Amino acid sequence: MGLTASFLPKPVAGVNGNGMHTNMSLARKGKNSFYDRKGQDGLSAEAWTFIQRLLANANDICLALNSSVNSYRRLDPHFEAPNQIKVSPSDRGSMIRIPIGNEKSARIEVRSIAPDANPYLAIYSLFRTGLEGPLAEEDNEKRPRTRFLPDNIYDAIRLFKSSKFVQEILGPEVHEKFAELKLMQAERCPKALGSRVKRSEIQFHHEVTNQALWAHF
């Protein structure tokens, strides 16, 4: 039919991109630890602590969840993309959404993951962060400012490299090598990307039929 599947986060400018929304919950002895009928939005205190750890470290792990140049084209609030570091049961611009659930289906949905991310690295990073990540310090402001995910891969690499927590969960060697490889890939594309998706951007990162290029990854 002249069509092909694409895992490019933002294959066409001006149109909503693709995401790898990931639903997460924890269970102990078959019981959903995230559910509490009387809790806020039906979630337990454990679930809310998990969420707060993810939000506190969202910038540090962003590169693991959005590892290509094109990933940051998708994180645009004008196209229902989750670039805001917050949680909401309904706001499509939030990094984390709380779906309606019951004692079996209560969960959180991390919406900021790009479809070209390594799913093993992404899920590992999310669970380690949700369970062990440092919590944010108390903010005494009456109206806390809205925080945003990086809008380009260079900022994401910088935040990733400077994170002691990410270095701890990945190990120094993997942490350093991953950042190095992502910088090499980023520098194959123009730094001033503009709004148009470049041919080289697709070719170097996402053209799965080009085996010669894939041999370099």
Side-chain angles (χ1 to χ4, degrees), residues 10 15 37 50 62 78 81 92 116 128 132 135 141 169 183-184 198 200:
K10 189 75 169 181
V15 179
R37 183 174 58 85
F50 192 96
C62 187
H78 297 97
R92 299 287 176 176
D116 59 348
R128 286 292 301 269
E132 303 171 16
L135 289 163
E141 294 183 26
I169 64 173
L183 182 60
M184 289 172 56
K198 309 296 190 291
S200 61

Side-chain angles (χ1 to χ4, degrees), residues 30-194:
K31 183 178 180 180
N32 189 342
S33 300
F34 275 15
Y35 178 70
D36 183 347
R37 183 174 58 85
K38 297 181 180 180
Q40 182 182 346
D41 295 313
L43 295 183
S44 65
E46 183 175 357
W48 278 106
T49 300
F50 192 96
I51 291 170
Q52 295 306 323
R53 292 185 193 279
L54 289 179
L55 296 178
N57 300 280
N59 280 326
D60 291 17
I61 63 172
C62 187
L63 185 67
L65 311 184
N66 297 272
S67 57
S68 70
V69 170
N70 188 264
S71 301
Y72 298 88
R73 305 290 197 85
R74 167 181 171 255
L75 299 178
D76 184 338
H78 297 97
F79 298 96
E80 297 186 357
N83 73 326
Q84 297 180 36
I85 302 175
K86 65 179 186 179
V87 58
S88 170
S90 58
D91 181 10
R92 299 287 176 176
S94 298
M95 173 185 168
I96 299 175
R97 189 174 76 88
I98 303 174
I100 296 173
N102 54 36
E103 60 183 343
K104 292 185 177 180
S105 64
R107 64 199 186 279
I108 65 171
E109 178 190 15
V110 182
R111 306 180 67 250
S112 59
I113 309 178
D116 59 348
N118 181 315
Y120 303 102
L121 176 62
I123 292 172
Y124 170 80
S125 299
L126 288 170
F127 274 112
R128 286 292 301 269
T129 302
L131 292 169
E132 303 171 16
L135 289 163
E137 295 181 4
E138 289 292 332
D139 190 342
N140 295 322
E141 294 183 26
K142 291 183 178 179
R143 296 183 63 184
R145 62 184 178 85
T146 302
R147 296 168 58 229
F148 296 90
L149 294 169
D151 63 2
N152 65 86
I153 196 170
Y154 295 99
D155 284 347
I157 292 171
R158 175 179 55 80
L159 292 164
F160 179 89
K161 289 176 67 176
S162 64
S163 173
K164 292 182 180 179
F165 171 70
V166 174
Q167 183 183 64
E168 178 186 326
I169 64 173
L170 295 183
E173 292 184 6
V174 173
H175 179 252
E176 181 180 0
K177 192 64 176 179
F178 187 77
E180 179 185 325
L181 289 172
K182 293 309 162 185
L183 182 60
M184 289 172 56
Q185 292 178 9
E187 301 225 324
R188 291 175 179 151
C189 293
K191 291 188 178 182
L193 288 171

Side-chain angles (χ1 to χ4, degrees), residues 11-25:
V12 181
V15 179
N16 289 9
N18 300 316
M20 188 169 71
H21 296 189
T22 301
N23 289 267
M24 306 175 68
S25 64

